Amino acid sequence: MEHKVYLNGEYLPLSKARVSVLDRGFLFGDGVYEVIPAYHGKLFRLEAHLQRLENSLSNIRLGLSYSVEKWREILLPLVDETKDQYIYLQITRGVAPKRDHAFPTSAVPTVFAMCSDIQYFEGREVGVKAVTMDDNRWEMCHVKATTLLANILLRQQAIEQGCAEAILVKNGYVTEGAASNLFVVIDGELMTPAKSADILPGITRDVIIELAQANDIKVNENVISLEALQAADEIWVTSSTREIIPVVELDGQPVADGHPGPLWRKINELFQQYKQSVS
Ligand code: PDD
């Protein structure tokens, strides 16, 4: 059976979903999105994802405000209770009468959601290679904007160098991955860059911090220099779809002994248990 998607109040097969070429999402990337895991039909950290969505919408001055209950009602019919999936939810500023950079006076936002199976990411257990790159994105990285050209070019360059992720560096300090947040372990201490407009406030990041603190593992939310990254005992990249991925090679050099580290093992186990407990 073909996948059902949600578009502007309707549920329809993916191949029947149509958006106008005048939609500002298509013309300008004028929209925001969320990626929300759905483990066996349970929407993971829905409130946190919706809070971030609300922040993204208000940052781009897009007026759309649905309650958590309304979102749940819209999204739940898309998920399959027998699988681990994720919802992609996108809101754009809608269809304008003509292409004009300025906001249209009366556009109705386009609301689109679809659900896909989470593909198991092979690098999860053995670790991945990553490469550092200059963070050439804009000044509003805390907004989950659909305008992802810089991110996709960075990720593609990493892939072409045989790596799974680009780790981004701004003014000598590490920010995050092209589509992930970053954690390092230095002298037994877990560190991650503090929330700011330089990074997306990841939901996976929040869960990891909570799990660490609940298990007496201190987390230092602070700046991480490129030199500190290069000398780290462990490096992880984290996201909703790939979860917690150990980086075992950085810029062609092994990270510590070139294998996933003990703290990754511990936190990954806690994360998997936590996921099971809420699904
Ligand atoms: N991206 N930073 C960036 C730039 C991201 O694109 C993502 C996730 C994250 C991690 O956020 P979270 O833990 O909430 O998934 C950090 C999603 C998965 C994507 O664009 O597909």
Side-chain angles (χ1 to χ4, degrees):
M1 203 186 65
E2 205 190 343
H3 244 74
K4 191 168 63 168
V5 303
Y6 173 89
L7 180 62
N8 298 329
E10 274 190 281
Y11 293 94
L12 63 180
L14 179 62
S15 64
K16 297 278 186 299
R18 291 281 179 276
V19 177
S20 163
V21 291
L22 285 174
D23 191 282
R24 291 178 62 93
F26 178 66
L27 291 176
F28 295 115
D30 184 2
V32 295
Y33 74 105
E34 274 299 323
V35 174
I36 310 167
Y39 299 122
H40 283 78
K42 297 261 172 44
L43 300 170
F44 186 70
R45 295 262 165 151
L46 179 65
E47 285 82 359
H49 280 280
L50 294 177
Q51 182 60 56
R52 184 171 67 184
L53 178 67
E54 217 170 285
N55 293 345
S56 296
L57 287 166
S58 89
N59 269 287
I60 71 159
R61 296 160 61 193
L62 204 167
L64 179 118
S65 180
Y66 291 174
S67 67
V68 173
E69 277 331 298
K70 174 148 182 172
W71 279 124
R72 201 189 296 277
E73 228 171 78
I74 289 174
L75 301 178
L76 275 181
L78 300 174
V79 307
D80 179 338
E81 286 174 12
T82 66
K83 292 175 166 179
D84 283 348
Q85 298 181 306
Y86 68 93
I87 287 182
Y88 176 82
L89 168 61
Q90 168 171 325
I91 301 163
T92 77
R93 209 177 303 276
V95 179
K98 63 179 171 65
R99 182 181 179 278
D100 183 350
H101 286 64
F103 292 176
T105 44
S106 64
V108 177
T110 300
V111 180
F112 171 64
M114 63 180 171
C115 192
S116 309
D117 294 349
I118 291 182
Q119 303 292 334
Y120 179 75
F121 181 67
E122 311 94 62
R124 165 116 68 83
E125 303 298 326
V126 290
V128 299
K129 298 178 185 177
V131 61
T132 54
M133 285 186 200
D134 189 37
D135 191 344
N136 59 5
R137 301 173 303 161
W138 67 335
E139 306 285 318
M140 289 171 69
C141 293
H142 60 308
V143 175
K144 203 160 172 57
T146 56
T147 333
L148 287 171
L149 251 187
N151 303 65
I152 63 174
L153 291 171
L154 290 160
R155 169 64 71 83
Q156 186 61 26
Q157 277 184 67
I159 287 168
E160 287 169 6
Q161 293 179 40
C163 294
E165 184 59 306
I167 294 180
L168 310 180
V169 181
K170 190 171 183 173
N171 303 322
Y173 293 94
V174 180
T175 53
E176 59 179 342
S180 56
N181 288 116
L182 181 102
F183 285 80
V184 298
V185 179
I186 297 173
D187 295 333
E189 190 178 31
L190 186 56
M191 295 178 69
T192 192
K195 286 182 184 176
S196 74
D198 289 339
I199 70 167
L200 185 80
I203 308 300
T204 319
R205 176 188 178 282
D206 283 346
V207 175
I208 292 167
I209 292 173
E210 282 175 34
L211 289 173
Q213 287 171 344
N215 287 275
D216 294 323
I217 299 163
K218 222 181 117 220
V219 187
N220 190 353
E221 294 180 68
N222 210 333
V223 291
I224 300 169
S225 69
L226 175 60
E227 291 74 29
L229 178 78
Q230 286 162 338
D233 300 315
E234 296 188 32
I235 302 174
W236 319 333
V237 286
T238 70
S239 69
S240 292
T241 42
R242 291 184 173 181
E243 303 179 351
I244 314 171
I245 307 297
V247 173
V248 293
E249 190 182 303
L250 181 74
D251 294 333
Q253 299 296 318
V255 176
D257 65 357
H259 296 284
L263 200 52
W264 171 79
R265 220 164 279 290
K266 168 111 183 123
I267 294 281
N268 186 51
E269 205 179 290
L270 291 169
F271 188 86
Q272 298 307 325
Q273 280 166 8
Y274 178 71
K275 249 175 69 183
Q276 306 272 315
S277 74
V278 294
S279 58

